[in-house]
Amino acid sequence: MNSSAHQLSNSAIEPQSPSRHTVFFVSDGTGITAETLGHSLLSQFEGMQSAKIRMPFIDSDAKARDCVARINAAAASDRNRPVVISTLVNPQTAGILRHANALILDFFGAFIAPLEAEFGLKSTHTIGRSHSSVNSSEYVARIDAINFTLAHDDGISNAGLEDSDVILVGVSRSGKTPTSLYLAVQFGIKVANYPLIPEDFERNKLPDGLSKHRHKLFGLTINPNRLSTIRQERRPDSKYASLENCRWEIEQAQKLMRREGINWLESTSKSIEEIGATLLQDLNIDRRTC
């Protein structure tokens, strides 16, 4: 086999390393919608190397031209076209962006026209409308939920539990606080959370004041090995973080929740979004905001 044939043979069987692409999230608002959409799309491509850049508040022609210059610079540096996830509403600003040397994924461009045809209405193309059009009651509900959740984190207070939508229970570091905040911020759900501690297991009772709210209780549990790893970061080489103690606490917590008729969810391999969706469905809670 000659050298050129040998090279062709090798190239045919050797996997190519993924190319590097810079991903821009471009928006006339905060960029959160563009970034959320973009992350969902990019998660389908394992191993892709990318630098992610959020470019919010691109609400003028001048800012759009600056954005194009930055995208083109990335294209020259990476030697690959960047990917642009855009939620620009203004057609003129979006038109300037399309001059960039990039793959442009225009969220509004893709969906507004079909919706206009379906509804028989022209869209307003109003910048920031997805935020400003949220009615005041939804906004107030979200802020109230955040304040409530912060005031009832980790069993800080029993006051006002009757106003809660859900009360999370579980051993320390099982994911109660991040789940609580996610539900409050994203959906306006008022969440309290309580740690189940050795004293509760010794008494074989729920923390004081929770029994009368049993219909609102939902448990989180976690793999003992994962829990031990998380706790080691907080209190290295402590009994609290030992694998033996983690196993015991989780076993006792599950026994208590089973006795009290509390549904629980294994949180180890689930995202906060998955936990939140399961919880809302299980407890039949209506989302306060969208």
Side-chain angles (χ1 to χ4, degrees):
M1 181 183 294
N2 61 37
S3 59
S4 61
H6 180 72
Q7 289 174 353
L8 287 173
S9 175
N10 283 344
S11 64
I13 62 175
E14 291 178 0
Q16 294 182 343
S17 59
S19 58
R20 173 186 171 84
H21 293 263
T22 300
V23 181
F24 289 86
F25 306 110
V26 181
S27 172
D28 46 40
T30 62
I32 293 174
T33 300
E35 193 166 3
T36 301
L37 172 67
H39 284 159
S40 296
L41 295 173
L42 295 173
S43 68
Q44 302 302 311
F45 300 91
E46 294 184 7
M48 193 192 81
Q49 301 174 6
S50 63
K52 299 177 180 66
I53 300 172
R54 184 194 294 180
M55 301 193 72
F57 308 118
I58 306 301
D59 53 8
S60 70
D61 291 359
K63 289 181 180 179
R65 284 190 288 269
D66 288 341
C67 185
V68 168
R70 188 169 178 183
I71 293 168
N72 289 343
S77 174
D78 295 345
R79 298 184 180 179
N80 285 308
R81 286 200 305 168
V83 175
V84 177
I85 313 291
S86 168
T87 55
L88 293 178
V89 176
N90 186 294
Q92 184 170 322
T93 309
I96 293 172
L97 186 67
R98 283 193 287 273
H99 287 91
N101 179 20
L103 171 64
I104 309 291
L105 302 179
D106 185 345
F107 181 77
F108 281 99
F111 295 106
I112 288 293
L115 287 172
E116 287 178 334
E118 183 68 23
F119 297 155
L121 294 171
K122 294 296 291 183
S123 66
T124 61
H125 292 282
T126 303
I127 293 174
R129 193 170 182 83
S130 62
H131 302 289
S132 63
S133 66
V134 176
N135 66 50
S136 60
S137 63
E138 286 185 343
Y139 183 78
V140 170
R142 193 189 303 271
I143 299 303
D144 284 348
I146 294 170
N147 288 332
F148 181 93
T149 299
L150 290 173
H152 293 82
D153 181 44
D154 209 28
I156 292 174
S157 172
N158 285 346
L161 284 181
E162 62 275 8
D163 295 327
S164 65
D165 296 304
V166 61
I167 303 171
L168 293 180
V169 295
V171 299
S172 172
R173 313 302 287 180
S174 58
K176 299 183 301 301
T177 294
T179 301
S180 298
L181 290 173
Y182 170 76
L183 290 170
V185 171
Q186 194 72 17
F187 302 120
I189 302 297
K190 292 181 178 179
V191 187
N193 76 77
Y194 280 76
L196 297 178
I197 59 177
E199 287 80 357
D200 299 319
F201 307 142
E202 291 168 4
R203 296 183 299 114
N204 199 27
K205 290 179 59 179
L206 290 169
D208 293 338
L210 295 191
S211 293
K212 61 182 178 181
H213 301 291
R214 188 178 280 103
H215 63 290
K216 297 181 178 181
L217 299 180
F218 192 91
L220 293 182
T221 188
I222 188 172
N223 177 274
N225 292 286
R226 176 58 180 157
L227 180 61
S228 178
T229 299
I230 294 171
R231 288 183 172 185
Q232 284 287 351
E233 296 175 0
R234 190 174 188 183
R235 298 183 193 171
D237 303 321
S238 63
K239 178 183 177 181
Y240 166 80
S242 71
L243 181 57
E244 181 181 2
N245 181 65
C246 290
R247 283 173 175 159
W248 179 81
E249 285 194 27
I250 291 169
E251 180 182 351
Q252 295 302 311
Q254 290 181 354
K255 283 182 179 179
L256 180 58
M257 290 188 289
R258 191 178 294 113
R259 186 179 70 81
E260 296 289 341
I262 301 170
N263 289 343
W264 76 78
L265 176 68
E266 163 71 58
S267 67
T268 308
S269 59
K270 290 182 170 58
S271 67
I272 291 177
E273 292 84 356
E274 290 176 299
I275 295 171
T278 301
L279 188 154
L280 292 175
Q281 183 179 43
D282 192 89
L283 294 179
N284 196 26
I285 298 174
D286 292 330
R287 301 177 180 190
R288 306 290 184 267
T289 61
C290 297

